[in-house]
Amino acid sequence: MKYPAEPKSILYFFPSLRISRFLSTTLIIVVLCLSLVKCGNNNANPLSGMEGDTSNGYAKDTAGSNMLPLDTALYNQKLKRLTNGDTSGKWPVKTVYPAPGAIFPFKRIIAFYGNLYSKQMGILGELPRHQVLQKLQGEVKKWEAADSTMEVIPALHYIAVTAQESPGKGGKYRLRMPFHQIDSILSMAREIDALVFLDIQVGLGRIQEEVPEFEKYLRMPNVHLGIDPEFSMKGGQPPGKVVGVYDASDINYVTNYLAKIVKDNNIPPKILVIHRFTEGMVKNYKQIKTPPEVQIVIDMDGWGHQARKFNTYFEYIYKQPVQFAGFKIFYKNDLKEARSHILSPQEVLRLKPQPVYIQYQ
């Protein structure tokens, strides 16, 4: 880091002035202090991108520290609004307050899902870079129009470990993406000030083996995580033969890992997205821990006719609350059944609770 040169005396610039020794010394001290403040600003963390933001009950300096305490009154107000009038007592979920800098329930995330190597895995890999970002921004505007009370932010949800049909090297039926592909996603995200999610499909591997591989990215304030029980094959079957499973113990390992990263690096809470569309995909949901440093989203991952999607949401999101709700929309698969259509933001917002994370595939 190249620091500013030490400021010279006021008398150097104005030799003709007759200033007392006391006044001269005082002015020099003032100039030195201003120089030090400027130097401190030059050390700001360019990854934070949230300077002076108080719209969601917190503010954070550019170094990622000195976050103001959570506005608990605003948090409670926003959380209650997400219940959308539900009176069952299930929602909102009673958990601890999040650490300062939490995204939910202050903002809604609209994410594009996929892999850059495949046009079949989601919209993120289907279109060229410019078109993907342009389409994502268009979806964000639709959600902003549908609910003007909640800020909407874009995200790129990238499958960083993909399940495979063949065992591959190591026999794990999974393939880790090269870091340069993740770097490309980060570059895309910077263009529109988007968040990044890294998604993991472990195959015959273990989540405890995969998450640490991406720690250098998870230390970044704008990078979050997704895990997919569908491709966690604890029975030894190849992915795609049966639906996989995560137990609460697997999920708690991930939340503990993320919580430690948040505390060690003094960054805002991480978001953990867990995909779900069957009863058996998530075991012992009541034992899932929700530490202040991690916000958990159970994402309704089913496709097809809107009635079936809503029923899946009711059975496995609404009736088995963990913390926050998510909802996936498939551009292609949701049109495969007769009389089905792509759900609009207005239709999705009728759900109880309202999802805070929307994913398009």
Side-chain angles (χ1 to χ4, degrees), residues 67 88 154 167 181 199 272 280 294 298 306:
M67 289 178 286
S88 67
Q181 290 287 67
D199 204 88
L272 174 62
V294 182
I298 306 298
Q306 52 272 16

Side-chain angles (χ1 to χ4, degrees), residues 132-150:
V132 166
L133 298 180
Q134 189 176 50
K135 187 175 181 66
L136 175 55
Q137 289 176 303
E139 297 291 2
V140 166
K141 290 179 180 178
K142 292 178 185 177
W143 282 91
E144 289 174 336
D147 183 4
S148 61
T149 67
M150 183 174 285

Side-chain angles (χ1 to χ4, degrees), residues 8-205:
K8 299 178 180 179
S9 169
I10 292 292
L11 294 177
Y12 176 88
F13 297 102
F14 302 101
S16 61
L17 294 178
R18 301 290 184 179
I19 305 176
S20 68
R21 180 176 298 176
F22 173 78
L23 181 58
S24 171
T25 303
T26 302
L27 289 172
I28 291 172
I29 292 173
V30 170
V31 173
L32 282 169
C33 289
L34 291 173
S35 176
L36 288 172
V37 169
K38 180 180 179 182
C39 178
N41 287 340
N42 286 341
N43 287 325
N45 183 351
L47 290 173
S48 65
M50 301 166 75
E51 184 174 3
D53 180 5
T54 58
S55 63
N56 58 352
Y58 72 91
K60 181 166 75 68
D61 70 9
T62 52
S65 59
N66 299 328
M67 289 178 286
L68 295 179
L70 181 80
D71 185 337
T72 56
L74 181 60
Y75 178 89
N76 291 336
Q77 175 189 335
K78 294 281 190 180
L79 202 61
K80 184 176 181 181
R81 188 180 183 281
L82 286 174
T83 66
N84 205 17
D86 179 59
T87 58
S88 67
K90 294 180 179 293
W91 299 87
V93 184
K94 296 176 178 62
T95 62
V96 297
Y97 283 117
I103 289 176
F104 301 137
F106 307 105
K107 301 180 181 182
R108 178 172 284 115
I109 294 174
I110 308 301
F112 269 14
Y113 173 94
N115 181 282
L116 296 181
Y117 285 135
S118 172
K119 293 185 177 183
Q120 308 303 319
M121 298 182 72
I123 188 66
L124 187 53
E126 186 175 346
L127 299 176
R129 178 181 182 129
H130 174 70
Q131 292 182 32
V132 166
L133 298 180
Q134 189 176 50
K135 187 175 181 66
L136 175 55
Q137 289 176 303
E139 297 291 2
V140 166
K141 290 179 180 178
K142 292 178 185 177
W143 282 91
E144 289 174 336
D147 183 4
S148 61
T149 67
M150 183 174 285
E151 182 181 347
V152 182
I153 51 179
L156 304 178
H157 195 121
Y158 185 65
I159 313 171
V161 182
T162 65
Q164 301 290 301
E165 294 180 350
S166 57
K169 188 177 181 180
K172 296 295 181 66
Y173 288 85
R174 59 96 178 101
L175 179 65
R176 293 173 183 160
M177 297 298 103
F179 283 172
H180 69 79
Q181 290 287 67
I182 299 174
D183 294 337
S184 295
I185 293 297
L186 289 168
S187 174
M188 290 175 64
R190 282 192 291 270
E191 289 189 34
I192 59 171
D193 196 21
L195 300 176
V196 170
F197 286 80
L198 301 180
D199 204 88
I200 295 177
Q201 302 173 353
V202 298
L204 268 66

